[in-house]
Amino acid sequence: MSRQNPAHRENGSEDAVGRPPKFSRAQVQQAALEIVDRDGLAELTMRTVANALGTGAMTLYGHVRDRADLETLVVDAVLAGTDLPPADGDWQTHVEEICVATWEAVRRHPHAVPLVLNRRGHSPAALIVGEALAAALQRGGLDGKAQVIAFRTLLAVTVGGVEADPGPSAVPAKMGADGATRFDLAFQELLASDPTTYPALRAMLGPANALAPVDIFRETVRQAIAGIERASP
Amino acid sequence: MSRQNPAHRENGSEDAVGRPPKFSRAQVQQAALEIVDRDGLAELTMRTVANALGTGAMTLYGHVRDRADLETLVVDAVLAGTDLPPADGDWQTHVEEICVATWEAVRRHPHAVPLVLNRRGHSPAALIVGEALAAALQRGGLDGKAQVIAFRTLLAVTVGGVEADPGPSAVPAKMGADGATRFDLAFQELLASDPTTYPALRAMLGPANALAPVDIFRETVRQAIAGIERASP
DNA sequence: ACCTGAACACCGTTCAAGT
DNA sequence: ACCTGAACACCGTTCAAGT
């Protein structure tokens, strides 16, 4: 997992004569994720990560290309936590479980959500999840165009599901650029500040708050799968 | 549009004796969006926006609470560009057109996509789009739980659709924290760098690249609607 | 009331040295 | 070969003045 840049060596493999590196890229990854989970996104810094590893900021550049690479490392750690289900049973259930497992993995790290949205395309772990999803759709008999559409629908539903409701994030000590309150809360606040308009939105508030997030998400995935089946019966 | 913080006065309404403000919040919004579109996200700065308006950075704080508020202003401008369709014809087509219109509005500002993902919950313009979508679903006879699920599905598909393929962004002069290459490109690069694994993903590359982004997106919306219909016939 | 420069406490990253 | 402090060119924002 997470071998991002071939130019950076993995682990303690000292080639030639020099000293072995003080720590591995995996340790950088773990330290970064811990900081994000514990202190929030705004605290993720070259300096804070280096400090957690007991070195100076510049030492990180032996393991990480730049700040974007560090962020990718965090995203990769989050997505690597996806508990992919075995490929048995009907393909519909299999697809559903893959999406829910991915959603749950991201939800375990609410502070990392903005990073996941922006950098999942660079994460090798995202490839593994994507491959599982694509294979499940193949197993369902979809091919070519139908498979591409279905793949994009399910990816969009999963990513969009995380984005809309990234989970209860403890208010970070220092507010990140992404804001302390997440979408749903902010949305409801906005709605509350203008109580005369938006009747259709307001009518949904009651039913929405009566449902558990995971149930809402699972149902959106089921509806997506139903739509896929109907398109390719 | 975009009255975010009641503490900040709109436009040139000088109350009492003092001098009138040199510019309006709307002008800040326009200047910020222009910078994002032209120079990319990394160039959006209190100082660059202020400079575009011919003042010092601190003057912005009369119109904007902080940097996050400035970003919300950009998001609001993007979403306010949504060309909402009239509410006639069948509700399915109406819903489809709302989603496509939203997707197109965001796609007109590819550099702003990360901002939209992170801050749409704070945008009044997002409320307007959401209300239109909710009303269309009501018109389709959905109510309570079914409406909430359908709303979340369509929102997820739209947001996720933008995220997965935010459109061709001219390489910014200075690369932003979000990276110059967008998801799809990065993903294909990653895939190409490991040509032995991920057969199911690789099998989709051909069909995927043969389809126009808008066609893919429209089809995912149609499938989502089909799934909604099946759940609430 | 509104504007604004100076200054503060940060960033990511380059550079030039250390061992 | 690997590490690292100093330094550079930035940030967002506070503060204390200006008019």
Side-chain angles (χ1 to χ4, degrees):
Chain A
M1 119 193 36
S2 83
R3 182 172 187 76
Q4 185 68 5
N5 185 345
H8 298 103
R9 66 278 178 285
E10 199 73 24
N11 236 325
S13 67
E14 71 258 51
D15 39 24
V17 231
R19 284 176 292 178
K22 287 174 59 174
F23 44 81
S24 68
R25 186 165 153 96
Q27 282 176 281
V28 176
Q29 182 175 42
Q30 190 192 346
L33 181 59
E34 272 177 25
I35 288 171
V36 170
D37 282 342
R38 177 169 20 93
D39 306 322
L41 216 39
E43 288 300 309
L44 181 71
T45 282
M46 291 291 177
R47 284 167 172 89
T48 58
V49 174
N51 189 48
L53 293 166
T55 24
M58 290 319 298
T59 308
L60 285 188
Y61 286 83
H63 303 80
V64 143
R65 190 162 8 124
D66 52 17
R67 155 108 212 195
D69 193 26
L70 180 69
E71 292 180 352
T72 301
L73 226 41
V74 172
V75 172
D76 203 55
V78 169
L79 291 176
T82 307
D83 189 21
L84 287 174
D88 50 19
D90 56 313
W91 69 269
Q92 292 92 336
T93 306
H94 188 204
V95 163
E96 180 183 328
E97 295 307 329
I98 291 172
C99 292
V100 172
T102 307
W103 184 82
E104 283 173 340
V106 179
R107 270 213 143 216
R108 263 174 241 132
H109 307 276
H111 288 319
V113 165
L115 261 34
V116 174
L117 295 176
N118 282 333
R119 300 210 55 82
R120 73 176 164 85
H122 300 263
S123 157
L127 272 189
I128 295 174
V129 175
E131 173 69 13
L133 184 57
L137 292 174
Q138 263 185 349
R139 205 161 70 81
L142 279 70
D143 57 1
K145 181 180 169 185
Q147 193 189 348
V148 169
I149 306 286
F151 183 80
R152 291 291 288 255
T153 296
L154 291 163
L155 218 59
V157 165
T158 304
V159 168
V162 166
E163 195 266 357
D165 187 9
S169 57
V171 177
K174 217 171 140 189
M175 202 178 84
D178 54 320
T181 40
R182 306 302 331 193
F183 167 71
D184 265 355
L185 293 180
F187 211 74
Q188 297 198 18
E189 260 176 51
L190 248 189
L191 206 49
S193 75
D194 186 355
T196 57
T197 11
Y198 313 119
L201 278 180
R202 191 162 295 101
M204 285 196 319
L205 281 183
N209 286 330
L211 294 164
V214 66
D215 292 332
I216 295 182
F217 177 70
R218 193 179 278 277
E219 197 54 36
T220 62
V221 173
R222 284 194 178 141
Q223 286 194 356
I225 294 172
I228 291 164
E229 284 187 279
R230 194 160 126 164
S232 304
Chain B
M1 121 191 36
S2 84
R3 182 171 187 74
Q4 185 68 7
N5 186 344
H8 297 102
R9 68 277 181 284
E10 199 72 25
N11 238 325
S13 67
E14 70 257 51
D15 41 21
V17 229
R19 284 176 293 179
K22 287 175 60 175
F23 43 81
S24 67
R25 187 166 153 95
Q27 282 175 281
V28 176
Q29 181 175 42
Q30 190 191 346
L33 181 59
E34 271 178 24
I35 288 171
V36 171
D37 282 342
R38 177 168 23 91
D39 306 322
L41 215 39
E43 288 299 310
L44 180 71
T45 281
M46 290 292 177
R47 283 169 171 90
T48 57
V49 174
N51 189 47
L53 291 166
T55 25
M58 290 319 300
T59 309
L60 284 188
Y61 285 84
H63 303 80
V64 142
R65 190 167 5 132
D66 52 17
R67 156 106 212 199
D69 193 26
L70 181 69
E71 293 182 352
T72 302
L73 226 43
V74 172
V75 172
D76 203 55
V78 169
L79 290 177
T82 306
D83 190 21
L84 287 174
D88 51 19
D90 56 312
W91 69 270
Q92 292 92 336
T93 305
H94 188 204
V95 163
E96 179 182 328
E97 295 306 331
I98 291 171
C99 292
V100 171
T102 308
W103 184 83
E104 284 173 339
V106 178
R107 271 214 144 218
R108 262 174 242 132
H109 307 275
H111 288 319
V113 165
L115 261 35
V116 175
L117 296 177
N118 283 332
R119 301 208 55 82
R120 73 177 164 85
H122 301 262
S123 156
L127 273 189
I128 294 173
V129 175
E131 174 69 13
L133 183 57
L137 292 174
Q138 263 185 350
R139 205 161 68 83
L142 280 69
D143 56 3
K145 182 181 167 183
Q147 193 189 348
V148 169
I149 306 284
F151 184 80
R152 290 292 286 257
T153 296
L154 291 163
L155 218 59
V157 165
T158 304
V159 168
V162 166
E163 194 266 354
D165 187 8
S169 57
V171 177
K174 217 171 139 187
M175 200 177 85
D178 55 321
T181 39
R182 306 299 334 191
F183 169 71
D184 266 355
L185 293 180
F187 209 74
Q188 297 197 18
E189 260 175 51
L190 249 189
L191 206 49
S193 75
D194 185 356
T196 58
T197 10
Y198 313 118
L201 279 179
R202 190 160 296 106
M204 287 196 318
L205 281 183
N209 287 329
L211 294 164
V214 66
D215 292 332
I216 294 183
F217 177 70
R218 193 179 278 278
E219 197 54 34
T220 64
V221 173
R222 284 190 178 146
Q223 285 195 357
I225 294 171
I228 290 165
E229 284 187 279
R230 192 161 125 165
S232 304

